[in-house]
Amino acid sequence: MSLKTNSGFQTNGTNKKYSKLIKRQYMLSKVAKYLVEHQIELPICLLAVITLAYILKVPGSEKFLFLHENPKTGLYETSMDDAYFVFFWIVTFTLLRAATMEYILTPIAKKGRIKKNARITRFAEQGWSFLYYSVFWTFGMYLMYHSPYWFDTTYFWKDYPHKELTYSFKAYYLLQFAFWLQQLFVLNVEKRRKDFVEMATHHVITILLMFFSYIFNLTRIGNAVLCTMDFADIQLPLAKMLKYLGFNMICDVLFGIFMVSWLVTRHYIYGCIIYSTWNEPRLYIEYKWAPEEDHYFTENVHRFFLILFCILQVIIIFWFCLISNVAYKVIKGDGAHDNRSSESEREHED
């Protein structure tokens, strides 16, 4: 009797736990659905509250809107308060993306005689990516062109730690960081693709690299990696937009240019950055952990960055295999298609 009773209690306990888990998942799905359906209204409310707080001079509200310089040097250092600024821009990017897609890119798609809703949505998503990467690749290249590490990787490491930044550089880096954090939300908003795991891994690695390069004062190499990656991300969305608009020949030509630029930037130039990370730090930086000197470069930190860079390259190689498959189809005359799309999604898009 006791065994049966205990078994009954265990079954009831298991059922209660399972029921609670189902309820939590249901509530989370409801919250997620609400956030997705109010990507314009909610950010507007949050930004309005922050702005009103600043106007009313609520203590600390200025941290969301402004970066604060070192009055002695006129430059900017890393600070815990940067989290407020990043949060503000995560919300702002959510608003900008949703509003741009809804009120600019979707009307363009409809005027371009794109009829199916799936294609209109994909056109708008790619249009936002094209606009973002065009702006921030240009911004990043401008900063890199006016830096000592322009085509000289040794200056990634020379004069370390690079703790003082110009306003433009710090704003650029934090805005990029906010964008990639917001991309985790976007990744779960957009329709899932075959390479969802690889894409999620890529996003997490990018965020880790940006976060630790920022707090460890290694932002120079971060700027170089971002510029290297962002260039191809301008051309691919544009090629997809042309595909949706029916400009198949131009799309195929641009896809060929994209493939060459991918090889040059993400395999050759990024490969040079990985080589620099492997070989050059020990020539210019002393391995030590000295927070009082803003010096955070040890052998373990060195290995950490090198491993993440290499994992990122493995993911990029995987994607290049998919790209090569698309290129083969283009040569055969089938036209460029995104191999990451599910079969059902392709049917909607074709």
Side-chain angles (χ1 to χ4, degrees):
M1 287 293 293
S2 61
L3 286 173
K4 289 183 181 180
T5 303
N6 289 338
S7 177
F9 279 130
Q10 288 175 0
T11 302
N12 289 336
T14 302
N15 289 338
K16 286 180 180 179
K17 288 181 181 179
Y18 184 72
S19 178
K20 287 181 180 179
L21 181 61
I22 294 296
K23 287 180 180 179
R24 286 177 186 174
Q25 289 178 342
Y26 176 75
M27 289 301 297
L28 286 173
S29 66
K30 293 286 286 184
V31 171
K33 184 179 179 182
Y34 183 82
L35 291 173
V36 169
E37 292 175 350
H38 297 82
Q39 292 182 62
I40 295 178
E41 298 91 338
L42 282 177
I44 287 176
C45 291
L46 278 171
L47 296 178
V49 169
I50 292 171
T51 304
L52 182 61
Y54 174 72
I55 293 171
L56 296 176
K57 297 182 180 180
V58 175
S61 58
E62 73 282 353
K63 295 176 183 178
F64 290 96
L65 301 170
F66 304 106
L67 300 174
H68 298 282
E69 67 179 0
N70 183 337
K72 295 181 181 179
T73 63
L75 296 172
Y76 298 77
E77 300 178 2
T78 59
S79 167
M80 293 292 290
D81 290 341
D82 294 337
Y84 296 97
F85 186 82
V86 170
F87 172 79
F88 178 86
W89 278 98
I90 290 173
V91 177
T92 300
F93 278 133
T94 302
L95 171 61
L96 288 175
R97 179 182 182 274
T100 302
M101 288 174 59
E102 180 72 22
Y103 299 113
I104 298 175
L105 295 167
T106 295
I108 291 173
K110 290 179 179 178
K111 286 185 179 180
R113 298 181 180 179
I114 301 175
K115 296 180 180 180
K116 294 182 180 179
N117 289 334
R119 290 174 67 98
I120 291 172
T121 300
R122 289 297 296 149
F123 178 88
E125 290 170 352
Q126 297 305 313
W128 167 250
S129 295
F130 169 72
L131 291 172
Y132 176 83
Y133 289 117
S134 295
V135 170
F136 276 86
W137 177 77
T138 304
F139 190 9
M141 288 297 289
Y142 171 83
L143 293 171
M144 193 158 63
Y145 179 75
H146 291 88
S147 74
Y149 52 93
W150 177 254
F151 281 101
D152 189 346
T153 58
T154 61
Y155 278 93
F156 291 157
W157 320 105
K158 288 180 179 178
D159 306 318
Y160 177 83
H162 313 124
K163 63 179 182 176
E164 293 189 322
L165 311 171
T166 63
Y167 177 86
S168 297
F169 192 97
K170 180 168 181 175
Y172 161 81
Y173 217 80
L174 292 180
L175 288 173
Q176 284 271 43
F177 185 52
F179 172 79
W180 280 103
L181 287 171
Q182 195 262 344
Q183 281 295 98
L184 290 178
F185 170 71
V186 171
L187 188 64
N188 289 280
V189 170
E190 294 182 349
K191 186 161 185 174
R192 290 199 176 188
R193 298 179 175 277
K194 291 180 180 179
D195 66 340
F196 176 82
V197 173
E198 291 81 6
M199 185 68 77
T201 304
H202 169 271
H203 287 9
V204 170
I205 290 174
T206 300
I207 289 167
L208 287 173
L209 285 170
M210 291 201 68
F211 176 75
F212 285 106
S213 64
Y214 184 70
I215 65 173
F216 289 167
N217 299 313
L218 290 163
T219 50
R220 291 182 175 184
I221 193 169
N223 174 212
V225 171
L226 286 168
C227 288
T228 300
M229 298 295 172
D230 287 353
F231 185 62
D233 284 332
I234 297 172
Q235 297 161 64
L236 184 58
L238 181 57
K240 290 182 180 180
M241 291 169 71
L242 292 170
K243 176 74 175 179
Y244 295 134
L245 290 170
F247 298 105
N248 294 330
M249 181 65 71
I250 302 174
C251 168
D252 291 346
V253 171
L254 187 58
F255 182 80
I257 296 171
F258 155 76
M259 190 171 179
V260 172
S261 70
W262 178 291
L263 276 169
V264 173
T265 57
R266 296 199 171 193
H267 293 294
Y268 175 69
I269 297 178
Y270 182 57
C272 291
I273 292 173
I274 293 176
Y275 177 78
S276 171
T277 305
W278 172 66
N279 184 57
E280 293 178 338
R282 61 176 63 90
L283 302 177
Y284 303 103
I285 302 178
E286 179 186 359
Y287 285 135
K288 68 175 181 178
W289 184 269
E292 69 281 359
E293 301 174 17
D294 296 301
H295 193 295
Y296 305 99
F297 202 83
T298 64
E299 289 189 39
N300 286 334
V301 169
H302 188 184
R303 291 191 193 99
F304 172 77
F305 280 99
L306 190 58
I307 289 170
L308 289 186
F309 280 153
C310 289
I311 294 173
L312 201 57
Q313 183 63 282
V314 170
I315 295 173
I316 292 169
I317 291 170
F318 166 77
W319 280 331
F320 185 72
C321 292
L322 299 182
I323 293 168
S324 299
N325 190 29
V326 175
Y328 175 71
K329 291 181 179 179
V330 170
I331 293 171
K332 284 176 60 182
D334 294 340
H337 289 275
D338 189 350
N339 275 358
R340 299 176 304 151
S341 301
S342 63
E343 293 300 325
S344 60
E345 186 176 357
R346 284 186 197 171
E347 288 174 6
H348 283 297
E349 290 183 354
D350 289 340

